Amino acid sequence: MALRHAVLAALLDGEYSGYQLAKAFDVGVANFWHALPQQLYAELAKLEREGLVSGRQIVQETRPNKRLFRVTDAGLAELERFAADAPRPSFMRDDLVVKVQAVDGVADPAPVIEQLLERARVAEAKTELFIGLLGRLRGPLDEAEFLARGERVGPYLTCLGGIGFERAYLEWCHRVVALLRAREEARRG
Amino acid sequence: MALRHAVLAALLDGEYSGYQLAKAFDVGVANFWHALPQQLYAELAKLEREGLVSGRQIVQETRPNKRLFRVTDAGLAELERFAADAPRPSFMRDDLVVKVQAVDGVADPAPVIEQLLERARVAEAKTELFIGLLGRLRGPLDEAEFLARGERVGPYLTCLGGIGFERAYLEWCHRVVALLRAREEARRG
DNA sequence: GCTTCCATGTAAGAGGTTACATGATTGG
DNA sequence: CCAATCATGTAACCTCTTACATGGAAGC
């Protein structure tokens, strides 16, 4: 039951439609939570029924109509309650890590190496994206200034976390690839 | 459908019971996948029905009987197939990150700071655990030697990844805590 | 005596993924 | 002309979590 809180947290930035949220929670982008569009539409409907968000219809002519949502006072109270709750520990569940764990049980490590390289490219792309986002968040201020006196530092901090995570992942990918290649050469040569 | 592959990967090390696997996939330890005991018992039963693992009963006198499982040839083939499959991207889903994202929407950041400090302690404890595990995995060899010529480097590599991840998380926790505290002081003073 | 460890499950419910459905508009 | 973007959902399915159940042995 934390998707609801992720949605509420995202809506602290302003009004968004399900579609816009879906992009923010997308596979390639999501710096603090991931969810599919279907989940978001369902969750928004539920949150609205419970009075934690309120939506208003925007009639558009050249495009489909949309509904913009904002957090209600009850929603803010729910977030406050959530923040004070004991967090459930977060879990590692990553296909690629399982493949590396199993890498010396399989005959051919080549596909794993390929996937590590692809994941490294993804990490680099995400990092650049995040760095751009940091710049937009902090506006004209420099980082120290923004962090000390900016109004909304939450997204900035999670973005910094995302960069740190991606850099750690990138380094690991490179290290594992170098090692698997060295072992392959040793085996053949 | 990746829990099955995580189980197969874990069983590459030798024969284990559901109970032993449950400890390895436990909340506090799990360095490459997390799962609850119930999931593992169910998954092992399923894997056995499908012939990917085979179990043998160990009758014990002072303790309950147990079943030890090992990977079959069909299981190895399944792992091989899995390793070559396109990986599904791994997702960020972490309560604590959501709380930080929302931290400037809530009145009192104190509980979030407390949780970040606790998470930092967990990261340190896990890191020590992982370092101990590395030592046991590499045995008498030094790291370079083991990585170059050791037989089973998969678990070593995922453990290195776990250490890198925990260190990144730890640094982020410290940074966020320092910042939130500075802002609290500025707000009050 | 109380807790923890060993050892294995069942059942119900919450949460997440995959597949499907619709339809105009904008860009290459 | 084909693909992507905008915009919102439903339905079926799979996975994961929570709660419950059992019972002896070893340690404090």
Side-chain angles (χ1 to χ4, degrees):
Chain A
M1 259 249 232
L3 169 60
R4 59 193 309 105
H5 302 112
V7 170
L8 291 171
L11 289 176
L12 287 177
D13 284 329
E15 285 187 318
Y16 293 102
S17 67
Y19 187 83
Q20 286 174 295
L21 286 177
K23 277 194 301 187
F25 285 78
D26 188 20
V27 179
V29 198
N31 64 323
F32 81 101
W33 198 267
H34 160 75
L36 297 167
Q38 300 94 311
Q39 271 180 285
L40 291 167
Y41 287 118
E43 195 62 46
L44 283 169
K46 220 166 140 193
L47 285 168
E48 194 177 24
R49 279 199 303 277
E50 295 172 29
L52 304 181
V53 306
S54 71
R56 61 191 182 92
Q57 180 106 8
I58 304 292
V59 179
Q60 299 182 120
E61 282 168 24
T62 82
R63 293 174 181 198
N65 295 339
K66 63 177 170 182
R67 307 197 64 220
L68 295 182
F69 295 90
R70 62 178 183 79
V71 185
T72 64
D73 289 344
L76 281 178
E78 172 62 21
L79 258 186
E80 186 88 38
R81 203 194 52 66
F82 167 69
D85 268 4
R88 51 200 64 193
S90 65
F91 302 127
M92 170 58 60
R93 271 186 198 132
D94 185 326
D95 271 27
L96 189 48
V97 179
V98 175
K99 291 177 190 188
V100 170
Q101 173 86 13
V103 77
D104 35 23
V106 304
D108 183 14
V112 178
I113 290 173
E114 197 40 62
Q115 290 171 47
L116 286 162
L117 290 171
E118 175 57 27
R119 184 62 184 80
R121 283 190 289 271
V122 167
E124 269 168 5
K126 272 196 172 185
T127 301
E128 274 186 45
L129 206 79
F130 288 164
I131 287 172
L133 178 57
L134 286 184
R136 263 169 284 136
L137 286 171
R138 97 171 79 85
L141 288 68
D142 71 357
E143 180 162 285
E145 189 74 15
F146 173 76
L147 286 176
R149 277 172 284 281
E151 278 185 22
R152 187 131 169 68
V153 291
Y156 199 94
L157 294 171
T158 58
C159 196
L160 283 176
I163 290 173
F165 174 73
E166 291 301 328
R167 194 184 50 222
Y169 209 134
L170 180 76
E171 279 168 20
W172 181 72
C173 286
H174 285 330
R175 183 166 186 186
V176 173
V177 166
L179 193 102
L180 291 179
R181 279 180 171 160
R183 285 171 66 93
E184 273 299 279
E185 268 178 45
R187 216 167 53 84
R188 275 199 307 269
Chain B
M1 262 249 228
L3 169 60
R4 59 192 311 102
H5 301 112
V7 170
L8 291 172
L11 288 177
L12 288 177
D13 283 329
E15 284 186 319
Y16 293 104
S17 67
Y19 187 83
Q20 286 174 296
L21 285 177
K23 278 193 300 186
F25 284 79
D26 187 21
V27 179
V29 198
N31 64 322
F32 80 100
W33 197 266
H34 161 74
L36 297 166
Q38 300 94 310
Q39 268 180 287
L40 291 167
Y41 287 118
E43 195 63 45
L44 283 168
K46 219 166 141 192
L47 285 168
E48 194 178 25
R49 277 200 303 278
E50 294 171 30
L52 303 181
V53 305
S54 71
R56 61 190 183 93
Q57 180 106 6
I58 305 292
V59 179
Q60 299 182 121
E61 282 167 25
T62 82
R63 294 175 178 194
N65 296 340
K66 62 178 172 182
R67 307 197 65 218
L68 294 182
F69 295 90
R70 60 177 184 80
V71 185
T72 63
D73 290 344
L76 281 177
E78 172 62 21
L79 258 186
E80 185 88 37
R81 203 194 52 66
F82 167 68
D85 267 4
R88 51 199 62 193
S90 65
F91 303 130
M92 169 58 60
R93 270 185 199 133
D94 184 327
D95 270 28
L96 188 48
V97 179
V98 175
K99 291 177 190 187
V100 170
Q101 173 86 13
V103 79
D104 34 23
V106 303
D108 183 14
V112 178
I113 291 174
E114 198 39 63
Q115 290 171 48
L116 285 162
L117 290 172
E118 174 57 28
R119 184 62 183 80
R121 283 190 289 270
V122 168
E124 269 169 4
K126 271 197 173 185
T127 300
E128 274 185 46
L129 207 79
F130 288 163
I131 287 172
L133 178 57
L134 286 184
R136 261 169 285 138
L137 286 170
R138 96 171 80 87
L141 288 68
D142 72 357
E143 181 162 284
E145 190 73 14
F146 173 76
L147 286 176
R149 278 173 282 283
E151 279 185 21
R152 187 128 171 70
V153 292
Y156 199 94
L157 294 172
T158 58
C159 195
L160 283 176
I163 290 173
F165 174 74
E166 292 301 328
R167 196 184 49 222
Y169 209 133
L170 180 76
E171 279 168 21
W172 181 73
C173 286
H174 285 329
R175 184 167 186 184
V176 173
V177 165
L179 194 101
L180 291 179
R181 278 178 172 164
R183 285 171 67 93
E184 274 298 279
E185 269 179 43
R187 218 167 52 81
R188 274 199 306 268

